[in-house]
Amino acid sequence: MYNRPVTVLLAAALQTLVALVVAYESGTLVHRTVLGDVADTSFALPLAVFGFAVAGALGYVAWGLVMLRPWARTPVVLTQIFMLVVAYSMYEADRMSVSVGMVAVAVAAIGLVLAPSTTAVLFPEEAGGRGAESGG
């Protein structure tokens, strides 16, 4: 088993947090649909199913990061970029606290997943190659 730097674990935790929030919001949409609080049930239920699928995919990516799978880094970065777009939308909708929280999570996750220690453990051949070139 590889040693996991704290940057990898924190990035995976933030990705998991995003997955849990998406799952919670999807569950809330199902609950509101059952109570009759949505305008269009034929739109709300498929959206909730899609939300649960997205939450599962985000969780799978977090697991991939914990398991030190190199492929997991790109989806984490893309997830956080999409979060920045949604955060801007929240800002425009006068949801400042939600927007600030989303920006903080997104920037932290991107920084953690692109940190040198994360890169070194996910791509050891590249880290070793750079060290051999500079030392050699």
Side-chain angles (χ1 to χ4, degrees), residues 27-81:
T28 300
L29 183 57
V30 169
H31 179 68
R32 290 182 56 218
T33 302
V34 169
L35 293 178
D37 290 342
V38 296
D40 187 0
T41 304
S42 64
F43 178 75
L45 288 179
L47 182 62
V49 169
F50 179 72
F52 285 125
V54 167
L58 295 173
Y60 180 70
V61 168
W63 173 84
L65 199 56
V66 169
M67 299 309 292
L68 302 178
R69 304 290 192 250
W71 59 260
R73 183 162 77 170
T74 300
V76 171
V77 172
L78 290 175
T79 299
Q80 305 312 320
I81 290 170

Side-chain angles (χ1 to χ4, degrees), residues 72-91:
R73 183 162 77 170
T74 300
V76 171
V77 172
L78 290 175
T79 299
Q80 305 312 320
I81 290 170
F82 289 134
M83 271 191 46
L84 291 171
V85 172
V86 174
Y88 179 75
S89 172
M90 293 289 120
Y91 172 77

